[in-house]
Amino acid sequence: MNTISVITWNLGYSGLGRGSDFFADGGRSWLPPGPGTTRESADAIATWLGESDADVILTQENARASVVNYWTDLKGRTDRALADYQGIFHADFRTRYLPPPLRISNGMATYARRGLVRSEIWPMPSDGDPYDGLIRRRYGALATYIDGPGGCWVVVNLHTAAFDEGGALRKRQVATLLERAVAAHALGYRVVMGGDFNLRLVATQFPHTTADEYLGWIHDFDPQVLPEGWRVVADGATPSVRTNQQAYKPGENYTTVIDGFVVSPGVEVVSVAGVDMNFRHSDHQPVRAQLRAGEGLPQAPCEA
């Protein structure tokens, strides 16, 4: 096999399905509509992932049972659906000092069907993060080294800041990750950075009626930060995220593309496509890329 398929999906902790709004985005609700909706979303998410037939799956806001999803164990469901995969989890959003059942543990989970050699956390800047106190974001990307077609692939699962002033923190986080990614590529590794960039990856003009006051978090990815030969891989025809100031109504909520990939030289893109689920189970939608090992890199194996 000379290709590798990768999916990225922010799962919204199974609490941000089509019927949800959220206070941090200008809505009124702190919690989902009810436990029935979180269980329905978690079951549907796990089923879809289990049937996706991807080589590598990157999830963000994958969540243990807690109050924010009415104690629905989304991660347990995805783990069982992907039991044939190797899985790694990094809880980048969690409470401090609180015991169960008040404890929250949400984060990034990477699943690899074969070839996983090791994983590590690539730290990201956190100054400027509005979260503090009992709830804390532990910013760091989950980098997984996989023996794949043509040698070692480093697949980086990332989820940057969302509510930082002017998007300054999330842009510095991307720049920091790119430094590590370039160093990995210099070793002969093919690098795929995927996830929720919280930056508009491509220009979009999907119809909406959302007022400007709810769009202050929208900032563009700057292609100037990419080294020569690196590129953004995203589907501009299918939205990957919606605003949460209200429950989802097509044509009313603002939608755009902030989920996708950045790939290094030596990675050829066979295809990339968003999956339109009408935002039924999350405020994000999956993005799938089919990638091929290109020329110009040695057959470098991953170092354990």
Side-chain angles (χ1 to χ4, degrees):
M1 296 177 63
N2 66 347
T3 64
I4 184 170
S5 58
V6 185
I7 285 174
T8 183
W9 191 7
N10 183 321
L11 308 182
Y13 57 87
S14 73
L16 292 175
R18 184 172 55 190
S20 294
D21 65 289
F22 190 54
F23 77 97
D25 290 317
R28 296 182 177 181
S29 303
W30 289 71
L31 295 174
T37 64
T38 60
R39 288 195 294 266
E40 177 190 357
S41 291
D43 289 340
I45 287 168
T47 297
W48 189 89
L49 290 174
E51 296 175 350
S52 66
D53 195 36
D55 296 308
V56 183
I57 296 172
L58 311 178
T59 63
Q60 304 85 42
E61 295 191 22
N62 203 334
R64 292 291 191 188
S66 73
V67 64
V68 299
N69 56 15
Y70 290 107
W71 291 278
T72 299
D73 187 5
L74 172 61
K75 184 175 182 295
R77 285 167 167 81
T78 58
D79 286 351
R80 289 190 294 273
L82 299 168
D84 293 336
Y85 288 65
Q86 296 169 283
I88 304 293
F89 182 63
H90 170 56
D92 63 347
F93 184 91
R94 60 191 299 179
T95 50
R96 298 190 294 178
Y97 315 123
L98 296 179
L102 300 177
R103 183 180 301 156
I104 299 171
S105 180
N106 299 353
M108 298 174 290
T110 294
Y111 301 91
R113 182 153 54 184
R114 62 179 65 87
L116 191 154
V117 176
R118 63 184 175 92
S119 293
E120 62 190 17
I121 301 299
W122 289 2
M124 298 192 295
S126 61
D127 53 308
D129 177 18
Y131 291 102
D132 201 359
L134 294 179
I135 297 179
R136 193 70 175 157
R137 280 294 302 269
R138 302 171 66 239
Y139 285 111
L142 182 57
T144 302
Y145 294 72
I146 297 170
D147 275 328
C152 187
W153 293 65
V154 184
V155 184
V156 183
N157 188 350
L158 64 89
H159 186 193
T160 66
F163 302 111
D164 52 318
E165 186 68 28
L169 175 58
R170 70 193 84 167
K171 292 176 181 178
R172 286 193 291 116
Q173 290 173 337
V174 169
T176 298
L177 294 180
L178 278 170
E179 292 179 4
R180 292 287 298 265
V182 168
H185 181 255
L187 297 175
Y189 301 159
R190 290 171 173 85
V191 182
V192 179
M193 300 170 59
D196 179 357
F197 286 79
N198 270 314
L199 294 165
R200 192 162 46 190
L201 297 176
V202 292
T204 58
Q205 293 184 329
F206 301 115
H208 71 94
T209 60
T210 301
D212 288 345
E213 64 181 293
Y214 301 116
L215 302 179
W217 63 274
I218 302 293
H219 300 280
D220 290 328
F221 184 95
D222 181 7
Q224 300 286 335
V225 304
L226 294 177
E228 184 177 356
W230 294 67
R231 57 174 168 155
V232 170
V233 179
D235 177 12
T238 305
S240 76
V241 70
R242 69 161 176 104
T243 53
N244 290 322
Q245 83 283 0
Q246 63 177 37
Y248 179 62
K249 296 181 180 178
E252 293 187 15
N253 296 70
Y254 176 83
T255 61
T256 190
V257 175
I258 64 174
D259 304 88
F261 308 91
V262 167
V263 300
S264 71
V267 177
E268 296 180 1
V269 181
V270 178
S271 64
V272 60
V275 181
D276 191 355
M277 294 182 167
N278 202 29
F279 295 102
R280 182 175 180 85
H281 304 299
S282 174
D283 58 335
H284 290 250
Q285 304 201 107
V287 182
R288 178 194 292 266
Q290 190 80 11
L291 308 171
R292 178 185 293 122
E295 303 295 329
L297 285 177
Q299 301 276 329
C302 298
E303 295 183 1

